[in-house]
């Protein structure tokens, strides 16, 4: 294990002493844990977001401004009208044949 000598101001030294005493750790263990925490935070900050991880699997992240979710109701209404008109046309054909 490598050794490191660090100069710190009196307030930080007092905090380190108090924290080590309260937690039952040595000052070296407290510093090692603090550095490990910093390493984890940096790794998280530089890690890709979930979207970035799967972006290659998602065709496109943008609808091209077509507002598809807003137009869903319009398309559904159109489909219902087409279905109703088709049923009416079938009824007309069958009633004409029977008369």
């Amino acid at each position: 294990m490598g050794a490191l000598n660090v100069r710190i101001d009196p307030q930080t030294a007092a905090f380190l002493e108090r924290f080590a005493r309260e937690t039952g750790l040595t000052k070296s263990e407290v510093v090692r844990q603090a550095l490990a925490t910093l390493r984890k935070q940096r790794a998280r900050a530089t890690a890709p977001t979930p979207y970035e991880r799967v972006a290659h699997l998602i065709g496109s992240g943008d609808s091209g401004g077509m507002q598809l979710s807003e137009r869903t109701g319009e398309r559904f209404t159109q489909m219902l009208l087409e279905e109703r008109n088709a049923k009416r046309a079938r009824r007309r054909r069958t009633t004409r044949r029977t008369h």
Side-chain angles (χ1 to χ4, degrees):
M1 201 181 295
L4 174 67
N5 292 321
V6 180
R7 297 189 190 280
I8 54 176
D9 61 87
Q11 293 86 5
T12 304
F15 173 76
L16 179 59
E17 285 278 347
R18 188 173 55 252
F19 188 82
R21 188 173 49 252
E22 290 171 358
T23 59
L25 300 170
T26 66
K27 291 186 281 184
S28 293
E29 290 170 326
V30 171
V31 172
R32 278 193 293 272
Q33 286 180 1
L35 290 172
T37 300
L38 286 173
R39 183 184 300 133
K40 288 177 188 174
Q41 286 176 350
R42 174 169 279 186
R44 270 189 239 122
T46 59
T49 65
Y51 173 78
E52 291 170 339
R53 289 182 182 175
V54 298
H56 67 283
L57 302 174
I58 303 170
S60 171
D62 184 17
S63 67
M66 296 174 60
Q67 301 171 340
L68 298 176
S69 63
E70 294 177 15
R71 296 177 59 212
T72 303
E74 294 172 21
R75 178 68 182 130
F76 184 67
T77 302
Q78 181 184 356
M79 288 171 52
L80 290 176
L81 290 173
E82 289 171 1
E83 185 178 321
R84 183 184 69 185
N85 292 338
K87 283 181 184 178
R88 284 182 179 173
R90 279 191 298 258
R91 271 190 258 148
R92 282 188 210 131
R93 277 184 259 149
T94 57
T95 55
R96 286 182 192 161
R97 290 180 189 164
T98 58
H99 292 282

